[in-house]
Amino acid sequence: MTTPPLEIGLLFFPGMTQLDVTGPFEVLARLPGARMHLLWKRIEPITSDVGLILMPTTAFADCPRLDVLCVGGGPGQIAVMDDPEVMAFVAKAGASARYVTSVCAGSLILAGAGLLDGYRSACHWLSRDQLAPLGAIPVAERIVVDRNRISGGGVTAGIDFAFQLAAELCGEEVARRLQLLLEYDPQPPFDTSERSAPPEALAAIRQAARPMLDARREAGERAIARRSTASADAPF
């Protein structure tokens, strides 16, 4: 018997933080039978938040039923949450996917699409507090697994997340071999994180990010309002 492919879709969008999904791509594309779909409305170049040009491979209209939907974040997440076409695609693809996953602020997109109601989720520490108003349960962990929802924290956490997801999909031994092959043995030169950084450093980053965080929060409020309106308009 022929084993069906693993259909893995990663959402691309203008203003994305590319490492949120290219880190996982590097791991997941090496899984046995993996068929990767870099998803956007159309096949056209996408520019990341820091200027890297990326090319989607699969238009929304051509996306198969997915085993994995993975959504990253970045400043472009704000426009995504105001885009009915993208949010409708995320909601539909996530409703039928075996695993619904995110990295960084991608969890806000999933939550805005109604896919994290009552689920525990990670997010970048700057935006974690924005999960609860959208119906998710924020968790300050690097990887969070809640049933078939798997999420990673900010940006580089996507690599850790990908090995966890690889183990879920193909078993721990496959994930361990991939970790060895890719020489994933992080040894950061500085001991600095949300937990270890001095309060003044955290405050300075929050202050610099305030305009983006405010815009992100407002996009979340609009998503909540649209979901409320849609529920009110639904037939009984």
Side-chain angles (χ1 to χ4, degrees):
M1 294 178 62
T2 302
T3 302
L6 274 174
E7 305 285 4
I8 300 175
L10 301 100
L11 184 67
F12 274 30
F13 54 87
M16 65 188 282
T17 297
Q18 58 82 21
L19 189 59
D20 287 358
V21 291
T22 57
F25 179 93
E26 190 66 39
V27 176
L28 301 176
R30 299 172 186 271
L31 292 177
R35 186 157 63 184
M36 308 299 293
H37 303 277
L38 311 180
L39 302 163
W40 182 235
K41 299 177 188 180
R42 298 167 293 276
I43 308 302
E44 62 185 12
I46 295 296
T47 304
S48 80
D49 57 346
V50 292
L52 184 65
I53 306 298
L54 303 156
M55 183 64 77
T57 63
T58 307
F60 290 170
D62 300 321
C63 181
R65 180 170 181 170
L66 297 172
D67 292 289
V68 177
L69 172 66
C70 181
V71 179
Q77 163 265 336
I78 296 166
V80 162
M81 289 186 68
D82 284 327
D83 189 320
E85 181 181 357
V86 181
M87 294 301 283
F89 170 78
V90 170
K92 180 179 179 182
S96 61
R98 284 174 54 201
Y99 291 93
V100 178
T101 74
S102 63
V103 178
C104 199
S107 56
L108 299 179
I109 296 174
L110 294 183
L115 294 170
L116 290 184
D117 289 354
Y119 286 90
R120 300 166 67 248
S121 180
C123 190
H124 192 289
W125 62 270
L126 275 171
S127 298
R128 192 184 302 125
D129 63 337
Q130 297 194 23
L131 279 170
L134 290 164
I137 302 168
V139 181
E141 294 177 8
R142 194 160 172 86
I143 308 170
V144 175
V145 180
D146 187 346
R147 291 159 284 176
N148 72 331
R149 267 56 168 174
I150 305 177
S151 53
V155 192
T156 59
I159 301 174
D160 302 59
F161 147 87
F163 287 115
Q164 178 68 50
L165 179 55
E168 297 279 343
L169 290 167
C170 297
E172 185 174 315
E173 185 57 34
V174 170
R176 284 179 175 273
R177 287 201 304 270
L178 276 177
Q179 185 171 321
L180 178 61
L181 173 67
L182 296 176
E183 200 174 358
Y184 185 60
D185 183 21
Q187 300 176 45
F190 310 110
D191 178 17
T192 181
S193 68
E194 180 190 5
R195 294 176 299 280
S196 64
E200 58 270 22
L202 296 172
I205 291 174
R206 286 194 178 96
Q207 183 59 36
R210 181 56 53 198
M212 185 271 291
L213 295 176
D214 288 345
R216 178 169 279 172
R217 183 172 291 104
E218 291 164 4
E221 291 169 354
R222 290 190 292 272
I224 294 168
R226 284 191 299 271
R227 287 176 57 193
S228 298
T229 300
S231 297
D233 292 342
F236 291 98

